[in-house]
Amino acid sequence: MAAVFEWFNVDRAAALVALVAVVASTVYAHRQTRIARESTRIAREAKDDAKRSADAAEQQVKIAQDARDEAHRSADTARDMSRMEARRDHLNGAVKDVELLRVESRPHARLGRWELFGLFKNNGHRVYRYKIAVEYSGGVQTPSGRGIVRPGEVVSEHLLTEAPYDSIVVWFDGECPCDVPDDLDGHWRKSWPAPEPVVPDDEHPALQ
């Protein structure tokens, strides 16, 4: 035991303390290094998570924008289709529905002159109000009859005392979903060149 105490002197004690301090410092340094690396890893993962979250948020914004754009496109398409349907409905209105069957020449019972009458038929499913004019050379027009023609109905309207004329012009009004503004005289305008008048066998309008 005395030999141990003789060997363990102040210098060796100081060296041992220094060695322990070095070991402790090394252990501490390694520990701090591990802590620093773990902190760096955690920070990097947090940064990656934040980037993924930002990318996901940006993707969601893009998806929402795309959905909004698609909704706008769908709405525009629906409006265009609605306008096309309304326009087609307009074109399939009175101009297509109403036809001039013929012009009849009938004698006036008391005045001894011949009168011209137009027979018009509504082949459509709408009710139309109409206003008729006779057009002469140079575009001069003389107002004639007016009234209402119902689906499937034939109406007879006096046109004029038999004389040369160029055409028969009719303005129509009725239900129409289109956005075409009404003319001053009506929503639809149709004209027929003056046909050769016929004389009915019974000299009365044949409404059939």
Side-chain angles (χ1 to χ4, degrees):
M1 194 66 162
V4 172
F5 282 115
E6 290 177 1
W7 178 84
F8 191 73
N9 55 28
V10 174
D11 292 336
R12 286 191 172 89
L16 183 59
V17 170
L19 178 61
V20 171
V22 169
V23 172
S25 297
T26 303
V27 171
Y28 179 78
H30 281 301
R31 183 182 177 188
Q32 291 301 108
T33 300
R34 284 197 304 272
I35 292 173
R37 286 176 180 171
E38 184 66 17
S39 298
T40 301
R41 183 184 66 78
I42 293 172
R44 184 169 58 248
E45 290 178 354
K47 180 180 178 181
D48 292 342
D49 288 342
K51 185 176 185 305
R52 282 192 294 270
S53 297
D55 291 343
E58 183 178 350
Q59 184 66 20
Q60 289 298 320
V61 170
K62 184 177 184 303
I63 291 172
Q65 181 65 43
D66 290 344
R68 187 175 65 181
D69 293 344
E70 182 61 31
H72 283 313
R73 283 192 294 270
S74 297
D76 291 342
T77 300
R79 280 193 296 269
D80 291 342
M81 291 297 295
S82 179
R83 282 194 292 266
M84 288 173 61
E85 286 294 330
R87 181 60 179 165
R88 183 160 45 244
D89 203 29
H90 171 79
L91 294 175
N92 288 334
V95 172
K96 179 176 178 293
D97 288 345
V98 181
E99 66 171 321
L100 172 65
L101 296 177
R102 61 186 176 272
V103 171
E104 293 183 349
S105 180
R106 309 176 201 154
H108 194 284
R110 295 190 308 276
L111 300 180
R113 65 189 184 192
W114 290 83
E115 305 284 334
L116 296 183
F117 290 80
L119 269 67
F120 303 89
K121 182 177 182 181
N122 181 359
N123 297 306
H125 61 278
R126 297 184 240 189
V127 176
Y128 296 111
R129 298 179 301 279
Y130 63 85
K131 182 168 56 177
I132 303 173
V134 175
E135 190 167 85
Y136 299 92
S137 176
V140 177
Q141 294 180 353
T142 298
S144 186
R146 64 173 61 211
I148 294 176
V149 59
R150 294 172 175 79
E153 185 180 16
V154 175
V155 293
S156 175
E157 287 291 346
H158 177 265
L159 299 177
L160 71 160
T161 301
E162 192 169 88
Y165 69 102
D166 282 358
S167 60
I168 300 168
V169 181
V170 185
W171 289 269
F172 296 95
D173 279 310
E175 291 185 8
C176 186
C178 78
D179 55 2
V180 176
D182 291 349
D183 187 89
L184 291 176
D185 294 296
H187 192 66
W188 293 273
R189 180 185 186 277
K190 188 171 184 178
S191 66
W192 294 268
E196 188 68 27
V198 298
V199 178
D201 293 338
D202 57 1
E203 297 183 355
H204 291 286
L207 304 185
Q208 57 186 2

PDB file of all heavy atoms in Angstrom, residues 37-63:
ATOM      1  N   ARG A  37     -26.223  17.557 -34.288  1.00  0.00           N
ATOM      2  CA  ARG A  37     -26.658  16.829 -35.491  1.00  0.00           C
ATOM      3  C   ARG A  37     -28.158  16.526 -35.437  1.00  0.00           C
ATOM      4  O   ARG A  37     -28.865  16.635 -36.448  1.00  0.00           O
ATOM      5  CB  ARG A  37     -25.865  15.529 -35.600  1.00  0.00           C
ATOM      6  CG  ARG A  37     -24.426  15.727 -36.035  1.00  0.00           C
ATOM      7  CD  ARG A  37     -23.671  14.407 -36.026  1.00  0.00           C
ATOM      8  NE  ARG A  37     -22.280  14.600 -36.447  1.00  0.00           N
ATOM      9  CZ  ARG A  37     -21.350  13.648 -36.373  1.00  0.00           C
ATOM     10  NH1 ARG A  37     -21.666  12.440 -35.864  1.00  0.00           N
ATOM     11  NH2 ARG A  37     -20.112  13.882 -36.779  1.00  0.00           N
ATOM     12  N   GLU A  38     -28.623  16.110 -34.225  1.00  0.00           N
ATOM     13  CA  GLU A  38     -30.065  15.810 -34.085  1.00  0.00           C
ATOM     14  C   GLU A  38     -30.902  17.062 -34.298  1.00  0.00           C
ATOM     15  O   GLU A  38     -31.951  17.029 -34.954  1.00  0.00           O
ATOM     16  CB  GLU A  38     -30.317  15.235 -32.694  1.00  0.00           C
ATOM     17  CG  GLU A  38     -31.758  14.785 -32.456  1.00  0.00           C
ATOM     18  CD  GLU A  38     -32.150  13.615 -33.328  1.00  0.00           C
ATOM     19  OE1 GLU A  38     -31.251  12.937 -33.892  1.00  0.00           O
ATOM     20  OE2 GLU A  38     -33.371  13.375 -33.461  1.00  0.00           O
ATOM     21  N   SER A  39     -30.408  18.193 -33.769  1.00  0.00           N
ATOM     22  CA  SER A  39     -31.129  19.467 -33.958  1.00  0.00           C
ATOM     23  C   SER A  39     -31.164  19.845 -35.429  1.00  0.00           C
ATOM     24  O   SER A  39     -32.186  20.314 -35.947  1.00  0.00           O
ATOM     25  CB  SER A  39     -30.458  20.578 -33.138  1.00  0.00           C
ATOM     26  OG  SER A  39     -30.506  20.279 -31.757  1.00  0.00           O
ATOM     27  N   THR A  40     -30.004  19.626 -36.107  1.00  0.00           N
ATOM     28  CA  THR A  40     -29.940  19.930 -37.544  1.00  0.00           C
ATOM     29  C   THR A  40     -30.910  19.053 -38.317  1.00  0.00           C
ATOM     30  O   THR A  40     -31.612  19.511 -39.224  1.00  0.00           O
ATOM     31  CB  THR A  40     -28.508  19.718 -38.066  1.00  0.00           C
ATOM     32  OG1 THR A  40     -27.627  20.578 -37.339  1.00  0.00           O
ATOM     33  CG2 THR A  40     -28.419  20.028 -39.544  1.00  0.00           C
ATOM     34  N   ARG A  41     -30.938  17.737 -37.935  1.00  0.00           N
ATOM     35  CA  ARG A  41     -31.852  16.814 -38.613  1.00  0.00           C
ATOM     36  C   ARG A  41     -33.303  17.224 -38.403  1.00  0.00           C
ATOM     37  O   ARG A  41     -34.117  17.241 -39.330  1.00  0.00           O
ATOM     38  CB  ARG A  41     -31.633  15.390 -38.103  1.00  0.00           C
ATOM     39  CG  ARG A  41     -32.484  14.330 -38.811  1.00  0.00           C
ATOM     40  CD  ARG A  41     -32.278  12.967 -38.180  1.00  0.00           C
ATOM     41  NE  ARG A  41     -32.783  12.931 -36.818  1.00  0.00           N
ATOM     42  CZ  ARG A  41     -34.081  12.821 -36.513  1.00  0.00           C
ATOM     43  NH1 ARG A  41     -34.986  12.734 -37.470  1.00  0.00           N
ATOM     44  NH2 ARG A  41     -34.456  12.791 -35.242  1.00  0.00           N
ATOM     45  N   ILE A  42     -33.645  17.559 -37.156  1.00  0.00           N
ATOM     46  CA  ILE A  42     -35.009  17.975 -36.845  1.00  0.00           C
ATOM     47  C   ILE A  42     -35.374  19.254 -37.614  1.00  0.00           C
ATOM     48  O   ILE A  42     -36.471  19.378 -38.169  1.00  0.00           O
ATOM     49  CB  ILE A  42     -35.172  18.191 -35.332  1.00  0.00           C
ATOM     50  CG1 ILE A  42     -35.047  16.845 -34.597  1.00  0.00           C
ATOM     51  CG2 ILE A  42     -36.506  18.851 -35.010  1.00  0.00           C
ATOM     52  CD1 ILE A  42     -34.999  16.967 -33.089  1.00  0.00           C
ATOM     53  N   ALA A  43     -34.412  20.192 -37.644  1.00  0.00           N
ATOM     54  CA  ALA A  43     -34.663  21.444 -38.367  1.00  0.00           C
ATOM     55  C   ALA A  43     -34.859  21.174 -39.856  1.00  0.00           C
ATOM     56  O   ALA A  43     -35.727  21.766 -40.508  1.00  0.00           O
ATOM     57  CB  ALA A  43     -33.498  22.410 -38.149  1.00  0.00           C
ATOM     58  N   ARG A  44     -34.007  20.253 -40.410  1.00  0.00           N
ATOM     59  CA  ARG A  44     -34.120  19.928 -41.836  1.00  0.00           C
ATOM     60  C   ARG A  44     -35.463  19.261 -42.140  1.00  0.00           C
ATOM     61  O   ARG A  44     -36.124  19.574 -43.130  1.00  0.00           O
ATOM     62  CB  ARG A  44     -32.969  19.023 -42.256  1.00  0.00           C
ATOM     63  CG  ARG A  44     -32.964  18.717 -43.764  1.00  0.00           C
ATOM     64  CD  ARG A  44     -31.670  18.043 -44.202  1.00  0.00           C
ATOM     65  NE  ARG A  44     -31.441  16.809 -43.460  1.00  0.00           N
ATOM     66  CZ  ARG A  44     -30.455  16.641 -42.576  1.00  0.00           C
ATOM     67  NH1 ARG A  44     -29.629  17.646 -42.293  1.00  0.00           N
ATOM     68  NH2 ARG A  44     -30.305  15.487 -41.946  1.00  0.00           N
ATOM     69  N   GLU A  45     -35.870  18.330 -41.245  1.00  0.00           N
ATOM     70  CA  GLU A  45     -37.162  17.677 -41.451  1.00  0.00           C
ATOM     71  C   GLU A  45     -38.310  18.669 -41.319  1.00  0.00           C
ATOM     72  O   GLU A  45     -39.286  18.597 -42.082  1.00  0.00           O
ATOM     73  CB  GLU A  45     -37.330  16.541 -40.437  1.00  0.00           C
ATOM     74  CG  GLU A  45     -36.413  15.350 -40.706  1.00  0.00           C
ATOM     75  CD  GLU A  45     -36.573  14.258 -39.655  1.00  0.00           C
ATOM     76  OE1 GLU A  45     -37.322  14.508 -38.667  1.00  0.00           O
ATOM     77  OE2 GLU A  45     -35.991  13.170 -39.845  1.00  0.00           O
ATOM     78  N   ALA A  46     -38.175  19.592 -40.376  1.00  0.00           N
ATOM     79  CA  ALA A  46     -39.212  20.621 -40.220  1.00  0.00           C
ATOM     80  C   ALA A  46     -39.280  21.497 -41.472  1.00  0.00           C
ATOM     81  O   ALA A  46     -40.369  21.865 -41.941  1.00  0.00           O
ATOM     82  CB  ALA A  46     -38.929  21.473 -38.982  1.00  0.00           C
ATOM     83  N   LYS A  47     -38.089  21.805 -42.004  1.00  0.00           N
ATOM     84  CA  LYS A  47     -38.041  22.612 -43.228  1.00  0.00           C
ATOM     85  C   LYS A  47     -38.677  21.851 -44.386  1.00  0.00           C
ATOM     86  O   LYS A  47     -39.443  22.423 -45.183  1.00  0.00           O
ATOM     87  CB  LYS A  47     -36.592  22.958 -43.547  1.00  0.00           C
ATOM     88  CG  LYS A  47     -36.430  23.796 -44.807  1.00  0.00           C
ATOM     89  CD  LYS A  47     -34.968  24.106 -45.051  1.00  0.00           C
ATOM     90  CE  LYS A  47     -34.788  24.907 -46.342  1.00  0.00           C
ATOM     91  NZ  LYS A  47     -33.360  25.193 -46.610  1.00  0.00           N
ATOM     92  N   ASP A  48     -38.362  20.532 -44.474  1.00  0.00           N
ATOM     93  CA  ASP A  48     -38.949  19.710 -45.541  1.00  0.00           C
ATOM     94  C   ASP A  48     -40.467  19.627 -45.378  1.00  0.00           C
ATOM     95  O   ASP A  48     -41.220  19.715 -46.357  1.00  0.00           O
ATOM     96  CB  ASP A  48     -38.339  18.307 -45.535  1.00  0.00           C
ATOM     97  CG  ASP A  48     -36.867  18.315 -45.946  1.00  0.00           C
ATOM     98  OD1 ASP A  48     -36.432  19.312 -46.555  1.00  0.00           O
ATOM     99  OD2 ASP A  48     -36.159  17.332 -45.649  1.00  0.00           O
ATOM    100  N   ASP A  49     -40.918  19.444 -44.111  1.00  0.00           N
ATOM    101  CA  ASP A  49     -42.364  19.405 -43.865  1.00  0.00           C
ATOM    102  C   ASP A  49     -43.027  20.716 -44.246  1.00  0.00           C
ATOM    103  O   ASP A  49     -44.123  20.732 -44.828  1.00  0.00           O
ATOM    104  CB  ASP A  49     -42.643  19.101 -42.386  1.00  0.00           C
ATOM    105  CG  ASP A  49     -42.323  17.653 -42.027  1.00  0.00           C
ATOM    106  OD1 ASP A  49     -42.229  16.828 -42.962  1.00  0.00           O
ATOM    107  OD2 ASP A  49     -42.161  17.358 -40.821  1.00  0.00           O
ATOM    108  N   ALA A  50     -42.346  21.820 -43.900  1.00  0.00           N
ATOM    109  CA  ALA A  50     -42.900  23.128 -44.249  1.00  0.00           C
ATOM    110  C   ALA A  50     -42.992  23.296 -45.757  1.00  0.00           C
ATOM    111  O   ALA A  50     -43.979  23.820 -46.279  1.00  0.00           O
ATOM    112  CB  ALA A  50     -42.041  24.239 -43.640  1.00  0.00           C
ATOM    113  N   LYS A  51     -41.955  22.814 -46.477  1.00  0.00           N
ATOM    114  CA  LYS A  51     -41.966  22.917 -47.951  1.00  0.00           C
ATOM    115  C   LYS A  51     -43.075  22.048 -48.541  1.00  0.00           C
ATOM    116  O   LYS A  51     -43.790  22.460 -49.457  1.00  0.00           O
ATOM    117  CB  LYS A  51     -40.613  22.498 -48.520  1.00  0.00           C
ATOM    118  CG  LYS A  51     -40.500  22.701 -50.027  1.00  0.00           C
ATOM    119  CD  LYS A  51     -39.123  22.358 -50.533  1.00  0.00           C
ATOM    120  CE  LYS A  51     -38.994  22.685 -52.021  1.00  0.00           C
ATOM    121  NZ  LYS A  51     -40.032  22.045 -52.829  1.00  0.00           N
ATOM    122  N   ARG A  52     -43.218  20.818 -47.969  1.00  0.00           N
ATOM    123  CA  ARG A  52     -44.289  19.950 -48.463  1.00  0.00           C
ATOM    124  C   ARG A  52     -45.659  20.578 -48.197  1.00  0.00           C
ATOM    125  O   ARG A  52     -46.559  20.519 -49.048  1.00  0.00           O
ATOM    126  CB  ARG A  52     -44.196  18.574 -47.797  1.00  0.00           C
ATOM    127  CG  ARG A  52     -43.122  17.675 -48.389  1.00  0.00           C
ATOM    128  CD  ARG A  52     -43.266  16.240 -47.891  1.00  0.00           C
ATOM    129  NE  ARG A  52     -43.011  16.139 -46.454  1.00  0.00           N
ATOM    130  CZ  ARG A  52     -41.813  15.902 -45.933  1.00  0.00           C
ATOM    131  NH1 ARG A  52     -40.756  15.772 -46.718  1.00  0.00           N
ATOM    132  NH2 ARG A  52     -41.663  15.802 -44.623  1.00  0.00           N
ATOM    133  N   SER A  53     -45.805  21.195 -47.032  1.00  0.00           N
ATOM    134  CA  SER A  53     -47.072  21.859 -46.702  1.00  0.00           C
ATOM    135  C   SER A  53     -47.324  23.025 -47.657  1.00  0.00           C
ATOM    136  O   SER A  53     -48.447  23.233 -48.130  1.00  0.00           O
ATOM    137  CB  SER A  53     -47.059  22.361 -45.261  1.00  0.00           C
ATOM    138  OG  SER A  53     -46.944  21.272 -44.357  1.00  0.00           O
ATOM    139  N   ALA A  54     -46.243  23.785 -47.938  1.00  0.00           N
ATOM    140  CA  ALA A  54     -46.376  24.920 -48.864  1.00  0.00           C
ATOM    141  C   ALA A  54     -46.740  24.426 -50.257  1.00  0.00           C
ATOM    142  O   ALA A  54     -47.601  25.007 -50.946  1.00  0.00           O
ATOM    143  CB  ALA A  54     -45.087  25.728 -48.887  1.00  0.00           C
ATOM    144  N   ASP A  55     -46.078  23.327 -50.696  1.00  0.00           N
ATOM    145  CA  ASP A  55     -46.380  22.766 -52.018  1.00  0.00           C
ATOM    146  C   ASP A  55     -47.821  22.262 -52.068  1.00  0.00           C
ATOM    147  O   ASP A  55     -48.527  22.460 -53.066  1.00  0.00           O
ATOM    148  CB  ASP A  55     -45.416  21.613 -52.338  1.00  0.00           C
ATOM    149  CG  ASP A  55     -43.989  22.097 -52.565  1.00  0.00           C
ATOM    150  OD1 ASP A  55     -43.816  23.308 -52.794  1.00  0.00           O
ATOM    151  OD2 ASP A  55     -43.063  21.269 -52.506  1.00  0.00           O
ATOM    152  N   ALA A  56     -48.254  21.595 -50.975  1.00  0.00           N
ATOM    153  CA  ALA A  56     -49.628  21.093 -50.935  1.00  0.00           C
ATOM    154  C   ALA A  56     -50.627  22.245 -50.971  1.00  0.00           C
ATOM    155  O   ALA A  56     -51.652  22.182 -51.662  1.00  0.00           O
ATOM    156  CB  ALA A  56     -49.838  20.246 -49.674  1.00  0.00           C
ATOM    157  N   ALA A  57     -50.313  23.316 -50.227  1.00  0.00           N
ATOM    158  CA  ALA A  57     -51.201  24.481 -50.218  1.00  0.00           C
ATOM    159  C   ALA A  57     -51.256  25.119 -51.603  1.00  0.00           C
ATOM    160  O   ALA A  57     -52.329  25.512 -52.089  1.00  0.00           O
ATOM    161  CB  ALA A  57     -50.715  25.494 -49.184  1.00  0.00           C
ATOM    162  N   GLU A  58     -50.084  25.211 -52.256  1.00  0.00           N
ATOM    163  CA  GLU A  58     -50.049  25.780 -53.603  1.00  0.00           C
ATOM    164  C   GLU A  58     -50.845  24.911 -54.573  1.00  0.00           C
ATOM    165  O   GLU A  58     -51.562  25.429 -55.449  1.00  0.00           O
ATOM    166  CB  GLU A  58     -48.594  25.878 -54.067  1.00  0.00           C
ATOM    167  CG  GLU A  58     -48.431  26.537 -55.430  1.00  0.00           C
ATOM    168  CD  GLU A  58     -46.971  26.666 -55.831  1.00  0.00           C
ATOM    169  OE1 GLU A  58     -46.088  26.430 -54.983  1.00  0.00           O
ATOM    170  OE2 GLU A  58     -46.721  27.002 -56.996  1.00  0.00           O
ATOM    171  N   GLN A  59     -50.739  23.572 -54.399  1.00  0.00           N
ATOM    172  CA  GLN A  59     -51.494  22.665 -55.256  1.00  0.00           C
ATOM    173  C   GLN A  59     -52.995  22.822 -55.030  1.00  0.00           C
ATOM    174  O   GLN A  59     -53.788  22.803 -55.981  1.00  0.00           O
ATOM    175  CB  GLN A  59     -51.068  21.213 -54.977  1.00  0.00           C
ATOM    176  CG  GLN A  59     -51.721  20.175 -55.880  1.00  0.00           C
ATOM    177  CD  GLN A  59     -51.289  20.322 -57.325  1.00  0.00           C
ATOM    178  OE1 GLN A  59     -50.268  20.929 -57.621  1.00  0.00           O
ATOM    179  NE2 GLN A  59     -52.083  19.771 -58.227  1.00  0.00           N
ATOM    180  N   GLN A  60     -53.381  22.994 -53.765  1.00  0.00           N
ATOM    181  CA  GLN A  60     -54.792  23.196 -53.450  1.00  0.00           C
ATOM    182  C   GLN A  60     -55.306  24.494 -54.066  1.00  0.00           C
ATOM    183  O   GLN A  60     -56.427  24.552 -54.585  1.00  0.00           O
ATOM    184  CB  GLN A  60     -54.999  23.219 -51.930  1.00  0.00           C
ATOM    185  CG  GLN A  60     -54.825  21.867 -51.253  1.00  0.00           C
ATOM    186  CD  GLN A  60     -55.834  20.844 -51.734  1.00  0.00           C
ATOM    187  OE1 GLN A  60     -56.997  21.174 -51.939  1.00  0.00           O
ATOM    188  NE2 GLN A  60     -55.394  19.612 -51.923  1.00  0.00           N
ATOM    189  N   VAL A  61     -54.471  25.533 -53.989  1.00  0.00           N
ATOM    190  CA  VAL A  61     -54.855  26.811 -54.606  1.00  0.00           C
ATOM    191  C   VAL A  61     -55.029  26.632 -56.113  1.00  0.00           C
ATOM    192  O   VAL A  61     -55.982  27.136 -56.714  1.00  0.00           O
ATOM    193  CB  VAL A  61     -53.795  27.892 -54.309  1.00  0.00           C
ATOM    194  CG1 VAL A  61     -54.051  29.141 -55.149  1.00  0.00           C
ATOM    195  CG2 VAL A  61     -53.806  28.242 -52.826  1.00  0.00           C
ATOM    196  N   LYS A  62     -54.103  25.884 -56.745  1.00  0.00           N
ATOM    197  CA  LYS A  62     -54.193  25.650 -58.195  1.00  0.00           C
ATOM    198  C   LYS A  62     -55.441  24.839 -58.526  1.00  0.00           C
ATOM    199  O   LYS A  62     -56.151  25.139 -59.511  1.00  0.00           O
ATOM    200  CB  LYS A  62     -52.948  24.907 -58.682  1.00  0.00           C
ATOM    201  CG  LYS A  62     -52.909  24.703 -60.192  1.00  0.00           C
ATOM    202  CD  LYS A  62     -51.642  24.025 -60.631  1.00  0.00           C
ATOM    203  CE  LYS A  62     -51.579  23.910 -62.152  1.00  0.00           C
ATOM    204  NZ  LYS A  62     -52.746  23.199 -62.699  1.00  0.00           N
ATOM    205  N   ILE A  63     -55.725  23.815 -57.700  1.00  0.00           N
ATOM    206  CA  ILE A  63     -56.924  23.012 -57.933  1.00  0.00           C
ATOM    207  C   ILE A  63     -58.176  23.879 -57.814  1.00  0.00           C
ATOM    208  O   ILE A  63     -59.103  23.782 -58.632  1.00  0.00           O
ATOM    209  CB  ILE A  63     -56.977  21.842 -56.934  1.00  0.00           C
ATOM    210  CG1 ILE A  63     -55.863  20.826 -57.256  1.00  0.00           C
ATOM    211  CG2 ILE A  63     -58.338  21.157 -56.966  1.00  0.00           C
ATOM    212  CD1 ILE A  63     -55.719  19.727 -56.216  1.00  0.00           C
TER     213      ILE A  63
END
